[in-house]
């Protein structure tokens, strides 16, 4: 859990400076789509990570996203217009599937690369 007061103050100050900067410089583009600020609890047992996300959901007045559960993700989110604060835990089964999928990374290489002609 990142409740270190110095880090928290620096993070909030950075967000305020970014907002002030963007407001003062209207020709600088902002993302076309929403932006997510994500908090991931320390990796530990699933039950402990879920308890942490439940605690954050209670503080935010939000619920757990049932759609994410189908992918073994446990999350809650709070929206501020196109900016989203999300607390997100990737559960053990999802991490295991990802590790299995990634275990083949770099083992297969194509015979050649097709270069598009212009």
């Amino acid at each position: 859990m990142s409740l270190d007061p110095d880090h928290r103050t620096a993070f909030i100050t950075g967000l305020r400076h970014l907002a002030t900067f963007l407001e003062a410089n209207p020709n600088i583009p902002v993302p076309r789509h929403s932006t997510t600020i994500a908090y991931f609890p320390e990796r530990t047992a699933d039950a402990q990570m879920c308890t942490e996300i439940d605690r954050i959901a209670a503080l935010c007045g939000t619920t757990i996203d049932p759609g994410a559960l189908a992918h073994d993700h446990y999350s809650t989110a709070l929206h501020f217009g196109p900016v989203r604060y999300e607390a997100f835990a990737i559960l053990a089964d999802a991490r295991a599937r990802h590790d299995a999928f990634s275990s083949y990374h770099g083992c297969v290489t194509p015979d050649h690369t097709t270069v598009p002609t212009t």
Side-chain angles (χ1 to χ4, degrees), residues 2-116:
S2 182
L3 292 177
D4 171 47
D6 293 334
H7 176 75
R8 182 178 176 80
T9 298
F11 185 83
I12 293 168
T13 299
L15 289 173
R16 287 186 176 130
H17 286 190
L18 174 61
T20 299
F21 174 79
L22 291 172
E23 190 172 54
N25 294 279
N27 291 325
I28 294 178
V30 297
R32 286 184 210 141
H33 306 286
S34 62
T35 297
T36 299
I37 296 172
Y39 166 77
F40 294 90
E42 183 177 331
R43 186 180 293 178
T44 186
D46 285 355
Q48 290 174 301
M49 290 190 299
C50 291
T51 297
E52 171 68 354
I53 303 303
D54 287 338
R55 182 186 75 79
I56 293 167
L59 291 169
C60 292
T62 57
T63 59
I64 300 303
D65 177 5
L69 291 172
H71 304 286
D72 293 314
H73 295 164
Y74 199 77
S75 67
T76 191
L78 189 59
H79 297 263
F80 301 89
V83 178
R84 170 183 168 107
Y85 171 83
E86 181 175 56
F88 196 91
I90 301 171
L91 304 181
D93 283 349
R95 293 192 313 270
R97 284 192 307 275
H98 179 266
D99 290 346
F101 179 78
S102 299
S103 68
Y104 288 94
H105 179 75
C107 294
V108 178
T109 55
D111 291 335
H112 67 282
T113 304
T114 303
V115 179

